[in-house]
Amino acid sequence: MANPNMASTKTGYLNDESNVPLPTHLDGTPMSLEERLRYLELKTNAFMNFGSDPFFGSTIRTSKKCHRRSDLLEFGCKDGSECPGEYEHDICLDKLPKPGSSYSHEKPACLVYDFGVREEPQFGETMARTFGCEVHAFDPSPISEEWWEGQSSKALKDLPNYHFHPYGAGGNDEHITLMKYTWGQVSILRYPTNYLDCTKTKKKDTNCDNIYNDGQTSFQLPVKTLPTIMKELGHMGRTIDILKIDVEGSEYSFLENMLDSMGGCPAFIDQITLEWHHMNWDPKYGEGSSPSINALATLLYTCGLKLDWHHSPGGWPATKNIFHEMGMNDVRFNVASFRREV
């Protein structure tokens, strides 16, 4: 006999969005059933490596050559000094204003979102000073707030086209728990509370030490989604020429929400340059086959944003000893750029 309560709950419980939001178009209208099925297929098959290429997310996909590529070092680090980590995001300059262009408040030539600044704003600063772009920088970390309120940011405060916002990139609009991380940053990554130390054990039948770790400081900090940010800043309908994301692990939820809330296709973005954090490999295929990156790269590709550059197919392993001490040996990083090519 059919359950009499099923009729009233047959569709209602499936609309619960506590953890998995319903995908929509940018204007908030729901995707059709056909669109949702194909979108789900793209997500899951790419993540499971049930597609035609298990290395999809680490293979350069653009067919049209970028004639002018730069990590901006040539514009922002001219005195011959070393600038480690400050210029590591390669972008294509072909469609951007020429270097030396001035900023126009009435009609900005380009719009740049710079997520993840710490106290090193060189990427956004160069885009504002050298290319005349309207730049919006975002970072909720205490070190960024201290930098922005201090004297070292005075020259940037005086720029009419550089704007700093003390919140970060997230998959929801809320305050979330972010953890103390390397170089004064904050991250969504949580270190294990307990881990094994086997360095003192010599015999096979002896136990390793169970180490309790309570040293990771946490912060409650504000984050916002890309649709919310664009609405609040009055940028709906505008093109984001460069979306730079370097947010210590929050890039996944940020991109996932962006895709889920934009019909799977943010057609208004020309380039994305980002750092992948804490990625792992599919053990079936090894280097360059990351399930999470394959899924996101596949969805971006269907929208015309194709992998255009990366540091290397497999990135690099974490060098900080703290990860290896705690058994987090499969923590890897990479830097990559996606460029619109229709």
Side-chain angles (χ1 to χ4, degrees), residues 182-224:
T182 56
W183 298 296
Q185 302 169 111
V186 292
S187 172
I188 200 167
L189 181 71
R190 301 187 182 188
Y191 298 152
T193 304
N194 293 86
Y195 62 94
L196 296 178
D197 180 4
C198 300
T199 58
K200 299 176 184 178
T201 59
K202 301 295 183 182
K203 298 180 180 180
K204 293 182 179 180
D205 59 346
T206 56
N207 294 329
C208 299
D209 292 332
N210 191 342
I211 306 299
Y212 176 72
N213 172 37
D214 63 348
Q216 196 179 15
T217 305
S218 64
F219 305 88
Q220 290 295 311
L221 297 172
V223 297
K224 297 183 181 182

Side-chain angles (χ1 to χ4, degrees), residues 35-52:
E35 289 173 326
R36 289 177 63 179
L37 284 172
R38 179 55 181 159
Y39 183 54
L40 178 64
E41 193 173 44
L42 288 167
K43 276 185 181 182
T44 55
N45 284 24
F47 183 86
M48 295 168 61
N49 275 332
F50 207 96
S52 59

Side-chain angles (χ1 to χ4, degrees), residues 34-275:
E34 182 180 1
E35 289 173 326
R36 289 177 63 179
L37 284 172
R38 179 55 181 159
Y39 183 54
L40 178 64
E41 193 173 44
L42 288 167
K43 276 185 181 182
T44 55
N45 284 24
F47 183 86
M48 295 168 61
N49 275 332
F50 207 96
S52 59
D53 185 358
F55 306 98
F56 193 91
S58 64
T59 303
I60 302 301
R61 297 285 167 183
T62 47
S63 59
K64 297 177 183 178
K65 181 181 179 181
C66 172
H67 298 283
R68 187 76 169 90
R69 179 178 302 288
S70 177
D71 60 5
L72 306 184
L73 182 67
E74 61 192 288
F75 304 108
C77 193
K78 299 179 180 180
D79 59 1
S81 61
E82 293 186 6
C83 303
E86 299 173 4
Y87 300 92
E88 61 183 8
H89 292 273
D90 271 46
I91 58 173
C92 183
L93 306 182
D94 290 355
K95 293 176 63 178
L96 292 171
K98 293 181 179 180
S101 298
S102 58
Y103 168 66
S104 170
H105 177 73
E106 289 75 20
K107 192 176 181 180
C110 44
L111 177 62
V112 175
Y113 278 16
D114 182 1
F115 288 93
V117 178
R118 198 170 40 149
E119 52 185 354
E120 295 179 346
Q122 289 79 7
F123 182 90
E125 182 175 7
T126 302
M127 296 306 300
R129 291 188 185 279
T130 304
F131 296 91
C133 295
E134 177 184 344
V135 176
H136 292 265
F138 309 85
D139 201 312
S141 60
I143 194 172
S144 293
E145 184 178 0
E146 182 179 347
W147 160 75
W148 185 248
E149 293 178 352
Q151 286 299 310
S152 58
S153 64
K154 185 179 184 305
L156 275 178
K157 291 191 184 87
D158 293 338
L159 278 181
N161 53 327
Y162 187 92
H163 313 274
F164 177 77
H165 307 276
Y167 52 85
N172 291 292
D173 302 313
E174 59 182 351
H175 280 69
I176 65 170
T177 301
L178 294 174
M179 315 303 291
K180 185 178 180 180
Y181 197 56
T182 56
W183 298 296
Q185 302 169 111
V186 292
S187 172
I188 200 167
L189 181 71
R190 301 187 182 188
Y191 298 152
T193 304
N194 293 86
Y195 62 94
L196 296 178
D197 180 4
C198 300
T199 58
K200 299 176 184 178
T201 59
K202 301 295 183 182
K203 298 180 180 180
K204 293 182 179 180
D205 59 346
T206 56
N207 294 329
C208 299
D209 292 332
N210 191 342
I211 306 299
Y212 176 72
N213 172 37
D214 63 348
Q216 196 179 15
T217 305
S218 64
F219 305 88
Q220 290 295 311
L221 297 172
V223 297
K224 297 183 181 182
T225 62
L226 184 61
T228 294
I229 293 170
M230 293 183 68
K231 290 173 185 175
E232 291 181 354
L233 297 181
H235 292 163
M236 299 300 287
R238 289 184 61 181
T239 295
I240 297 179
D241 296 272
I242 306 289
L243 174 61
K244 180 217 145 190
I245 311 170
D246 194 344
V247 290
E248 316 312 315
S250 291
E251 62 271 15
Y252 301 101
S253 60
F254 184 67
L255 289 171
E256 289 159 6
N257 173 272
M258 177 187 78
L259 291 161
D260 276 354
S261 58
M262 296 178 178
C265 185
F268 53 87
I269 299 175
D270 268 358
Q271 292 189 66
I272 298 176
T273 180
L274 77 165
E275 181 167 350

Side-chain angles (χ1 to χ4, degrees), residues 57 88-90 243 245 272-276 293 307-312 334-338:
E88 61 183 8
H89 292 273
D90 271 46
L243 174 61
I245 311 170
I272 298 176
T273 180
L274 77 165
E275 181 167 350
W276 297 118
I293 294 176
L307 183 64
D308 189 44
W309 172 88
H310 54 201
H311 173 271
S312 63
N334 207 350
V335 185
S337 297
F338 296 80

